[in-house]
Amino acid sequence: MKSNIQRISNQIVAGKHGKDILVDIVYNENGSAKPVVFFAHGFKGFKDWGHFNLVADKFAEANFVFVKFNFSHNGTNKNNLTEFVDLEAFGNNNFSIELDDLGTVMDYLLNGNAPIPQAEFKNSNVNLIGHSRGGGIAILKAAEDKRVVKLATWASVNEFGRYWNTETFEKWEKDGVHYVKNGRTGQQMPLYWQLYENYFANQNRLHIPTAVKNLTTPFLAVHGDDDGAVPHALALEMASWNEKIQLKILRNANHVFGGKHPYTEEKLPNDMQKVVALTLYFLQQAT
């Protein structure tokens, strides 16, 4: 099939929580209605991180519409796509906001508001992919949104707040803020106490284990066994909650499957090539 890759970048979509969402759409313009993939980045991530643009191209070449976006409160903005210049927004982010942001981006495309001809995509074939914390968001969205027909996670978390111990949250509540270091930039990034409050006020919506146990949507979980950020034991645990999960553990693969930021190579890292191949195969199979 003729390849005519189109890249629509940095479309501004109004979020529900006072900040804009930047959206990229990559697809092969060929007049055929294609499945759609919405991709959610992880914690301290962004849509242009590392090799994500190459990933988008691979899905477009395989005849998918690939939609990636920045969560509205991820700390970047339209003038600084790859730097955390808005730490106040970052500190005020929470899981409810991210879940709403993903729904807003889905509505943006599927309701015909995006600058892509409707003949180029299938409203009936909507797929989610999430990396790391974005995997948790994708799981929750698949559980609550019947438009989603397949779900894939890459190095996903399996519960929010599982590492919030008593000592951490007592100091967090007292100070009103907890700081996490960004290993790449050295920044001390704030998490305001509202994150904790929002999670427990909305736990029926935000509890990943319950979502996984009840999920009937076809689900592929890919994880590396050398993941120092999110141990692959969490993927094994998820698979024990739902026997329908297709679990793929990649030997010696790390949390970002060989990627880094900035990424200057012209092809994907070997481990990420495997992840993409596994995911495409999963998405292309009939349900």
Side-chain angles (χ1 to χ4, degrees):
M1 187 173 290
K2 181 181 177 182
S3 180
N4 182 23
I5 304 298
Q6 302 296 312
R7 299 176 182 86
I8 302 170
S9 301
N10 300 317
Q11 297 297 295
I12 298 175
V13 179
K16 295 180 179 179
H17 298 276
K19 286 194 171 292
D20 292 334
I21 305 165
L22 291 185
V23 180
D24 295 346
I25 305 168
V26 185
Y27 67 102
N28 183 17
E29 188 175 43
N30 54 22
S32 70
K34 293 170 278 292
V36 182
V37 169
F38 293 93
F39 174 75
H41 69 74
F43 184 54
K44 295 182 285 187
F46 39 88
K47 67 180 177 61
D48 297 296
W49 187 92
H51 50 254
F52 289 164
N53 288 320
L54 292 177
V55 169
D57 287 351
K58 288 295 183 184
F59 277 83
E61 290 163 6
N63 223 34
F64 285 80
V65 175
F66 193 90
V67 182
K68 57 188 177 73
F69 64 98
N70 280 340
F71 285 112
S72 61
H73 287 63
N74 77 339
T76 65
N77 64 26
K78 64 182 179 181
N79 298 316
N80 295 273
L81 300 175
T82 62
E83 300 299 331
F84 297 110
V85 294
D86 192 349
L87 293 183
E88 188 68 12
F90 184 91
N92 282 300
N93 195 16
N94 60 50
F95 309 120
S96 294
I97 290 174
E98 293 194 347
L99 198 48
D100 288 346
D101 284 350
L102 176 52
T104 295
V105 174
M106 292 170 66
D107 291 343
Y108 170 65
L109 180 76
L110 299 176
N111 293 347
N113 299 315
I116 169 177
Q118 287 195 279
E120 295 289 342
F121 64 91
K122 294 180 182 178
N123 283 65
S124 60
N125 196 333
V126 176
N127 308 275
L128 301 184
I129 300 175
H131 175 248
S132 193
R133 176 162 136 175
I137 296 297
I139 290 167
L140 296 174
K141 179 52 69 175
E144 73 174 20
D145 195 321
K146 299 306 179 185
R147 294 177 296 182
V148 180
V149 299
K150 286 190 178 182
L151 163 70
T153 60
W154 300 344
S156 179
V157 300
N158 72 2
E159 185 175 356
F160 296 135
R162 70 181 292 157
Y163 301 115
W164 293 345
N165 57 45
T166 302
E167 181 181 353
T168 297
F169 67 64
E170 285 182 350
K171 186 175 188 306
W172 190 4
E173 181 178 23
K174 177 183 176 183
D175 296 344
V177 62
H178 173 69
Y179 289 94
V180 294
K181 185 176 181 179
N182 186 320
R184 179 177 66 88
T185 67
Q187 290 169 290
Q188 292 292 332
M189 305 183 75
L191 302 175
Y192 294 126
W193 178 243
Q194 61 81 31
L195 174 64
Y196 180 95
E197 292 181 312
N198 176 267
Y199 177 65
F200 285 100
N202 296 280
Q203 200 166 12
N204 287 342
R205 187 187 185 205
L206 300 176
H207 193 240
I208 297 171
T210 299
V212 172
K213 291 170 186 176
N214 295 330
L215 201 61
T216 58
T217 305
F219 181 1
L220 170 71
V222 185
H223 220 113
D225 68 3
D226 192 27
D227 189 330
V230 180
H232 77 285
L234 303 192
L236 299 173
E237 190 175 34
M238 278 202 297
S240 74
W241 297 338
N242 188 327
E243 63 182 11
K244 295 182 180 179
I245 292 176
Q246 297 183 37
L247 178 64
K248 301 292 183 181
I249 303 297
L250 299 187
R251 292 187 61 187
N252 302 318
N254 65 15
H255 186 60
V256 290
F257 302 101
K260 59 183 179 180
H261 186 85
Y263 188 79
T264 58
E265 304 296 323
E266 295 183 358
K267 69 175 187 176
L268 289 171
N270 289 337
D271 286 336
M272 196 68 225
Q273 290 181 39
K274 296 174 185 177
V275 173
V276 169
L278 287 167
T279 307
L280 285 173
Y281 180 79
F282 167 73
L283 295 180
Q284 289 165 340
Q285 300 309 299
T287 55

